[in-house]
Amino acid sequence: MAGCAARAPPGSEARLSLATFLLGASVLALPLLTRAGLQGRTGLALYVAGLNALLLLLYRPPRYQIAIRACFLGFVFGCGVLLSFSQSSWSHFGWYMCSLSLFHYSEYLVTAVNNPKSLSLDSFLLNHSLEYTVAALSSWLEFTLENIFWPELKQITWLSVTGLLMVVFGECLRKAAMFTAGSNFNHVVQNEKSDTHTLVTSGVYAWFRHPSYVGWFYWSIGTQVMLCNPICGVSYALTVWRFFRDRTEEEEISLIHFFGEEYLEYKKRVPTGLPFIKGVKVDL
């Protein structure tokens, strides 16, 4: 893991990432450049080259590594906004681009603010897993093919809006869980209890035992509902359900080891929040 927190003042990564995310999002001004005479593709190529040159000039590793990732996510967000307002069958894909970029960027930003000791480049979750990458590419491919051969399938606005609401709900719930857990939240399941590790049962944790997983569960399925992707919609639901079933059991084994009877009592009172997932079975 490529951490930077030990070499920089507190909060500097958050400020750096926010500034460069906004810099990338300034691609929203590209239509003004094209109206000034630049061709669309030429203007985009010059814009991307200029952004990278500016980042190389301003930052050195490891700060450049943070800056280029945050700037890229901001750029994707800006392009998503432009696409969302376009009069094309790809407008709902623009919603998806905004949702995806905000999810990955906010994972880093909230970790930088909330738990800087665990912060690393991996906090962007851009290299989450091979399976995650394949799933994303599959959804893009399905949308593209269906948009070519069955464009009417991608114009079911009420379904896309439903997916957008699922995404917003999932994102808000996950970030609420991260803020509530504070330094107890980590992207990696912990097998050893730290001195500061406490059992969080307040806030959204009073509703669900695993609110961050519940949020991610509905966020991921919502992205496919938003795209009106029937194949990936079903496969995402089955895959993420199985993933969180196994992940929940793995995490609860550690939590029972850490907190013993305190966690078992909490487990009795509060559901996981994930459909048909009860967590690890405990023989009493």
Side-chain angles (χ1 to χ4, degrees):
M1 294 176 70
C4 314
R7 294 189 294 273
S12 63
E13 290 91 350
R15 292 190 292 272
L16 168 62
S17 70
L18 182 58
T20 49
F21 178 87
L22 294 175
L23 179 64
S26 65
V27 70
L28 288 167
L30 191 60
L32 298 177
L33 299 178
T34 57
R35 283 200 289 268
L38 279 177
Q39 295 295 322
R41 292 182 180 179
T42 301
L44 184 62
L46 290 174
Y47 182 85
V48 170
L51 278 182
N52 190 48
L54 180 62
L55 294 179
L56 285 169
L57 181 65
L58 293 176
Y59 305 110
R60 295 289 180 269
R63 291 174 67 80
Y64 172 77
Q65 299 301 326
I66 299 171
I68 193 66
R69 286 163 172 78
C71 187
F72 167 73
L73 291 171
F75 177 79
V76 172
F77 176 80
C79 289
V81 172
L82 293 175
L83 193 57
S84 297
F85 287 97
S86 67
Q87 301 299 318
S88 76
S89 59
W90 285 83
S91 60
H92 293 162
F93 196 84
W95 298 5
Y96 169 82
M97 291 172 65
C98 293
S99 302
L100 189 67
S101 59
L102 278 178
F103 171 78
H104 284 284
Y105 172 64
S106 61
E107 289 291 304
Y108 183 89
L109 179 64
V110 173
T111 302
V113 171
N114 213 37
N115 190 14
K117 289 184 179 180
S118 70
L119 185 67
S120 76
L121 292 179
D122 291 340
S123 299
F124 283 107
L125 298 186
L126 291 171
N127 57 341
H128 181 270
S129 65
L130 176 62
E131 293 80 5
Y132 182 85
T133 302
V134 170
L137 293 174
S138 298
S139 72
W140 305 347
L141 179 61
E142 180 182 352
F143 184 92
T144 301
L145 292 176
E146 290 172 353
N147 194 37
I148 293 172
F149 295 106
W150 304 283
E152 66 279 358
L153 179 63
K154 302 305 177 184
Q155 301 304 311
I156 309 175
T157 302
W158 69 265
L159 188 60
S160 291
V161 171
T162 300
L164 179 60
L165 293 175
M166 291 174 66
V167 164
V168 171
F169 166 76
E171 178 78 338
C172 291
L173 180 59
R174 180 169 172 84
K175 295 311 181 287
M178 292 175 70
F179 275 116
T180 302
S183 62
N184 292 283
F185 185 90
N186 199 297
H187 284 117
V188 180
V189 174
Q190 302 297 292
N191 296 316
E192 295 183 6
K193 182 181 179 183
S194 68
D195 294 337
T196 59
H197 204 168
T198 59
L199 179 61
V200 181
T201 60
S202 61
V204 290
Y205 286 86
W207 307 344
F208 311 122
R209 293 205 304 274
H210 302 281
S212 66
Y213 294 167
V214 176
W216 201 351
F217 178 83
Y218 286 106
W219 178 89
S220 60
I221 298 173
T223 61
Q224 300 312 298
V225 176
M226 182 195 304
L227 293 176
C228 301
N229 279 353
I231 298 173
C232 282
V234 173
S235 60
Y236 266 50
L238 295 174
T239 302
V240 297
W241 183 89
R242 183 174 180 178
F243 171 79
F244 283 122
R245 180 198 62 185
D246 297 341
R247 180 75 172 240
T248 296
E249 291 183 357
E250 177 188 359
E251 182 169 307
E252 290 195 345
I253 289 172
S254 296
L255 290 169
I256 291 171
H257 177 69
F258 293 168
F259 301 108
E261 191 64 31
E262 184 183 5
Y263 187 78
L264 292 175
E265 288 298 320
Y266 172 62
K267 180 173 162 52
K268 291 178 184 177
R269 297 194 315 270
V270 180
T272 64
L274 294 160
F276 308 109
I277 295 177
K278 296 183 178 180
V280 67
K281 295 181 180 179
V282 180
D283 295 325
L284 299 175

